[in-house]
């Protein structure tokens, strides 16, 4: 991509109502655009990141047998009345007006109701179980106070997986598989996620887990072991800060703020009973299907990555989700420099590498500042100072190296 | 994919309110599920088709320099009041209730307003032009009477491209590029689209074109040349049925019903003037940016494909958008048959082929009927009658061939 043709531009300033790090850096870098409170568009640069996160999630969901589908945003009142979720969370569900008068439809803030209804068409016997389906679909939540940039939104895409089982044992086994898939996802996105037994909420604590990433931007407070994976919400934590970890017995417990990047729930038969999703077991008896649901918001993952991976100059993307792998920058307007840079761009892109090529007529200062702000992992600078060589620098390091094109191609295993 | 584990199942019957061919076959085949009038979920089988259509569109948009992004569904009242589209099309825009009282936000039924507002952040000089951005995003339209299955919906994903230009000549040139890209898209999806100069609508006819596919399911009536690409809406057509084509002078004119699968509009400065999207031209003067917008609904494309490609037994998918390339079917419960079929499945999937493998314990009649209904392009049947060979049949042909596995692998260029 030629940076001179990129739809977005960086900006040095940002509206003063953007208090979070992620909203500030993502807005300045040209990744997102605020439409309303808690409602953001993803600009081309930002959408590249979202798509990579989604693809990582998709691959891990497919590995555990998830089948991708997509349900509807508009949801009928009658369906949600059956589970008593039409009125109860009235602060959450946006209602839409079809005609005059009382609303008869709302916007889905989760999809347990429709997925249970759809499953009824296809699940009637133990032979039809287990099943797991997932989607990437917009959720709408009338959050009383959206803040934290793209971490807590009123409109956002969520990956939600729903699983259906004939027995608790089968659900328990699958639940552990999803837990591992979630750890893989966060790990691949460069996040260290702690698994926290959730306290309260709509379900009792032993039936749900949260994936928490330590960050000052977080709304939650957790007690965690500095060494192993042990973590609990502060209110319910059994250990105190400074004590030995009750699980590994070696690490010390510390307290921190954290962002919830995913959550998983054992729903049991709550929805299958309300919506009559039954199956005939091996003895010929009717039983309610046992369900679980599992959520991750790719946008929240993106916001959290920024919160834990930035410096004074800008974002530092992990390579797995970066919009581009290389930011190629040419400085000055020397013909030899331009020719060399054009050649490097052609060679890298022809080899399938993702390159943002700063071919703009801008000062060195502007170009290097923009590169730091946007945060692409590898910076390649070509200038009259570098001669026939190219200056390579990782975004997360201060070290620069002067290399020939061949050395760079070979370092990144690009076939020349 | 093992058919025994597929989330959806076929059904022989369908609700009597599904009058269209596409809704009937897609529902029976397990591709879609109706949530409300004009609002459908895509089941895993259907979503595979949608994703392929989207990918074809994405490739063609990228080829003409489109940059993918995604805007928001929720839209603020103030923005749409500036273009007089908050109240005027009140039958189209769903309003949402945030708090008590009058709605202050609605659901986007198109995205000219937000894209123009966002472009204001980045376009201020002729050097920033031209630009083209597109998205796949849900549109919500309160259609008074949704029918025609997934062809006319109240909630649907649209690919909408918006282009920004400094001059009318530049727009005209790009508009022709998009026209060609659209023809490529429909062609790749197995549809023959005619380009019709649109009559009326919100803009005068010379500024918009529709892409129409001949089908009895269509809502439009067109006069078209049986030989060349000439077509016009019946109301404004200059030629009569049976006359020589006024363009090629050779084909005869005929009349037919058609489905609009895409449309493109030269918006001019309507939105840039209302929303103050100006740029400084080369003489240093302020000018409104000249815009165009271009839409295709992947779901409508999918519905139209079904309307023009089916028979009494079910759907006939073109290979480019089929959920799977092969439907491998084993008949009976002979151990040798099962082993051979398992081996073929493994070999094909290991080679990256997309295979739906009917490993279910069902009668031959059920399996073969389901295969015809689902409409995967290539059927491979293994039974005790076929010995060590495999019966190959194309969905759109009656001819069967008995081939060895090696012959099949070589026919489809699969490396064994």
């Amino acid at each position: 991509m030629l940076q001179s043709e990129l739809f977005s531009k960086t900006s040095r300033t940002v509206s003063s109502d953007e208090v979070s790090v992620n909203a500030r850096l993502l807005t300045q870098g040209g990744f997102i655009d605020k439409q309303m409170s808690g409602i953001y568009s993803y600009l081309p640069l930002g959408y590249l990141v979202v798509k990579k996160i989604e693809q990582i999630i998709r691959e891990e969901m497919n590995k555990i047998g998830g089948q991708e589908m997509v349900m509807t945003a508009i949801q009928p009142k009658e369906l949600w009345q059956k589970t008593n979720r039409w009125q109860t969370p009235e602060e959450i569900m946006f209602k839409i007006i079809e005609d005059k008068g009382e609303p008869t439809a709302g916007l889905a803030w989760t999809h347990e109701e429709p997925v249970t209804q759809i499953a009824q068409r296809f699940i009637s016997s133990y032979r039809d179980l287990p099943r797991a389906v997932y989607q990437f679909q917009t959720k709408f939540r009338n959050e009383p106070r959206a803040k934290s940039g793209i971490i807590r939104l009123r409109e956002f895409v969520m990956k939600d997986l729903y699983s259906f089982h004939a027995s608790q044992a089968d659900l328990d086994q699958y639940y552990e598989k999803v837990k591992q898939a979630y750890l893989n996802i966060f790990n691949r996105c460069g996040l260290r996620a702690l698994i926290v037994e959730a306290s309260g909420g709509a379900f009792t604590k032993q039936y749900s887990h949260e994936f928490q990433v330590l960050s000052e931007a977080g709304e939650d407070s957790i007690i965690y072991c500095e060494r192993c994976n042990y973590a609990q919400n502060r209110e319910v934590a059994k250990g105190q800060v400074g004590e030995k970890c009750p699980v590994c017995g070696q690490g010390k417990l510390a307290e921190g703020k954290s962002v919830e990047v995913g959550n998983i729930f054992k729903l049991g038969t709550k929805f299958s009973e309300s919506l009559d999703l039954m199956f005939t077991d091996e003895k010929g008896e009717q039983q309610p299907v046992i369900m679980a649901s599992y959520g991750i918001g790719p946008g929240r993952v993106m916001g959290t990555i920024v919160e834990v991976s930035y410096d004074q100059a800008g974002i530092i993307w992990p390579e797995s989700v970066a919009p581009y792998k290389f930011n190629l920058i040419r400085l000055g307007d020397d013909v030899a420099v331009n020719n060399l840079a054009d050649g490097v761009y052609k060679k890298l892109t022809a080899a399938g590498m993702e390159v943002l090529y700063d071919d703009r007529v801008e000062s060195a200062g502007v170009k290097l500042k923009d590169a730091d702000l946007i945060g692409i992992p590898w910076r390649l600078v070509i200038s009259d100072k570098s001669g026939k060589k190219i200056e390579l620098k990782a975004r997360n390091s201060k070290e620069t190296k002067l290399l020939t094109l061949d050395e760079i191609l070979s370092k990144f295993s690009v076939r020349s």
Side-chain angles (χ1 to χ4, degrees), chain A residues 194-216:
Chain A
L194 298 161
I195 300 179
V196 175
E197 288 179 2
S199 64
F203 312 100
T204 54
K205 66 175 177 173
Q206 67 267 36
Y207 288 107
S208 89
H209 291 87
E210 293 165 355
F211 294 80
Q212 297 274 0
V213 171
L214 289 169
S215 163
E216 276 309 303

Coordinates of all heavy atoms in Angstrom, one line a residue, chain A residues 194-216:
Chain A
L194 N -5.1 -14.1 31.9 CA -5.3 -14.9 33.1 C -6.8 -15.4 33.2 O -7.7 -14.6 32.8 CB -5.0 -14.0 34.4 CG -3.6 -13.4 34.5 CD1 -3.6 -12.3 35.4 CD2 -2.7 -14.6 34.9
I195 N -7.0 -16.6 33.7 CA -8.3 -17.1 33.7 C -8.9 -16.8 35.2 O -8.3 -17.3 36.1 CB -8.4 -18.6 33.4 CG1 -7.9 -18.8 32.0 CG2 -9.8 -19.1 33.6 CD1 -7.8 -20.3 31.6
V196 N -9.9 -16.1 35.2 CA -10.5 -15.7 36.5 C -11.9 -16.4 36.6 O -12.7 -16.3 35.8 CB -10.7 -14.2 36.6 CG1 -11.4 -13.8 37.9 CG2 -9.3 -13.5 36.5
E197 N -12.1 -17.1 37.8 CA -13.4 -17.6 38.1 C -14.3 -16.3 38.3 O -14.0 -15.5 39.2 CB -13.4 -18.5 39.3 CG -12.8 -19.8 39.0 CD -12.7 -20.7 40.3 OE1 -13.3 -20.2 41.3 OE2 -12.2 -21.8 40.2
A198 N -15.3 -16.2 37.6 CA -16.1 -15.0 37.7 C -17.0 -15.0 38.9 O -17.5 -16.1 39.4 CB -17.0 -14.8 36.5
S199 N -17.2 -13.8 39.5 CA -18.1 -13.7 40.7 C -19.4 -13.2 40.3 O -19.5 -12.1 39.8 CB -17.4 -12.8 41.7 OG -17.3 -11.5 41.2
G200 N -20.4 -13.9 40.6 CA -21.8 -13.4 40.4 C -22.2 -13.2 38.9 O -21.9 -14.1 38.1
G201 N -22.7 -12.1 38.6 CA -23.3 -12.0 37.3 C -24.6 -12.7 37.2 O -25.2 -13.0 38.3
A202 N -25.1 -13.1 36.0 CA -26.3 -13.7 35.9 C -26.3 -15.2 36.4 O -27.3 -15.8 36.6 CB -26.8 -13.7 34.5
F203 N -25.1 -15.7 36.5 CA -24.9 -17.1 36.9 C -24.0 -17.3 38.1 O -23.2 -16.4 38.3 CB -24.3 -17.9 35.7 CG -25.0 -17.6 34.4 CD1 -24.5 -16.7 33.5 CD2 -26.3 -18.1 34.1 CE1 -25.2 -16.3 32.3 CE2 -27.0 -17.8 33.0 CZ -26.4 -16.9 32.1
T204 N -24.0 -18.3 38.8 CA -23.2 -18.5 39.9 C -21.7 -18.7 39.5 O -21.5 -19.1 38.4 CB -23.6 -19.7 40.8 OG1 -23.7 -20.8 39.9 CG2 -25.0 -19.4 41.4
K205 N -20.8 -18.4 40.4 CA -19.4 -18.2 40.0 C -18.8 -19.5 39.4 O -17.9 -19.4 38.5 CB -18.6 -17.7 41.1 CG -18.4 -18.6 42.3 CD -17.4 -18.0 43.3 CE -17.3 -18.9 44.5 NZ -16.3 -18.5 45.4
Q206 N -19.2 -20.7 39.9 CA -18.5 -21.8 39.4 C -18.9 -22.1 37.9 O -18.3 -23.0 37.3 CB -18.8 -23.1 40.2 CG -20.2 -23.6 40.3 CD -21.0 -23.0 41.4 OE1 -20.8 -21.8 41.8 NE2 -21.9 -23.8 42.0
Y207 N -19.8 -21.4 37.4 CA -20.3 -21.7 36.0 C -19.7 -20.7 35.0 O -20.1 -20.7 33.8 CB -21.8 -21.7 35.9 CG -22.3 -23.0 36.6 CD1 -23.0 -22.9 37.8 CD2 -22.2 -24.2 36.0 CE1 -23.5 -24.0 38.4 CE2 -22.6 -25.3 36.6 CZ -23.3 -25.2 37.8 OH -23.8 -26.4 38.4
S208 N -18.8 -19.8 35.3 CA -18.3 -18.9 34.3 C -16.9 -18.5 34.6 O -16.4 -18.5 35.7 CB -19.2 -17.7 34.1 OG -18.9 -16.7 35.0
H209 N -16.2 -18.3 33.6 CA -14.8 -17.8 33.7 C -14.6 -16.6 32.8 O -15.1 -16.5 31.7 CB -13.8 -18.9 33.2 CG -13.8 -20.1 34.2 ND1 -14.6 -21.1 34.1 CD2 -13.0 -20.3 35.3 CE1 -14.4 -22.0 35.1 NE2 -13.4 -21.5 35.8
E210 N -13.7 -15.7 33.3 CA -13.3 -14.5 32.5 C -11.9 -14.6 32.2 O -11.1 -15.2 32.9 CB -13.5 -13.2 33.3 CG -15.0 -12.9 33.7 CD -15.1 -11.9 34.8 OE1 -14.0 -11.5 35.3 OE2 -16.2 -11.5 35.1
F211 N -11.5 -14.1 31.0 CA -10.1 -14.0 30.6 C -9.7 -12.5 30.8 O -10.3 -11.7 30.2 CB -9.9 -14.5 29.1 CG -10.2 -15.9 29.0 CD1 -11.6 -16.4 28.9 CD2 -9.2 -16.8 28.9 CE1 -11.8 -17.7 28.8 CE2 -9.5 -18.2 28.8 CZ -10.8 -18.7 28.8
Q212 N -8.8 -12.3 31.7 CA -8.4 -11.0 32.0 C -6.9 -10.7 31.7 O -6.0 -11.5 31.8 CB -8.5 -10.8 33.6 CG -10.0 -11.0 34.1 CD -10.8 -9.7 34.1 OE1 -10.3 -8.6 33.6 NE2 -12.0 -9.8 34.5
V213 N -6.7 -9.5 31.1 CA -5.4 -9.0 30.8 C -5.0 -7.9 31.7 O -5.8 -6.9 31.8 CB -5.3 -8.6 29.3 CG1 -4.0 -7.9 29.0 CG2 -5.5 -9.8 28.4
L214 N -3.9 -8.0 32.4 CA -3.5 -6.9 33.3 C -3.3 -5.6 32.5 O -2.6 -5.6 31.5 CB -2.2 -7.3 34.0 CG -2.3 -8.4 35.0 CD1 -0.9 -8.8 35.4 CD2 -3.1 -7.9 36.2
S215 N -3.9 -4.5 32.9 CA -3.8 -3.2 32.3 C -4.4 -2.2 33.2 O -5.5 -2.4 33.8 CB -4.5 -3.2 30.9 OG -4.7 -1.9 30.5
E216 N -3.8 -1.0 33.2 CA -4.3 0.1 34.0 C -5.7 0.6 33.4 O -6.4 1.2 34.1 CB -3.3 1.3 33.9 CG -2.2 1.2 35.0 CD -2.8 0.9 36.4 OE1 -3.6 1.7 36.8 OE2 -2.5 -0.1 37.0

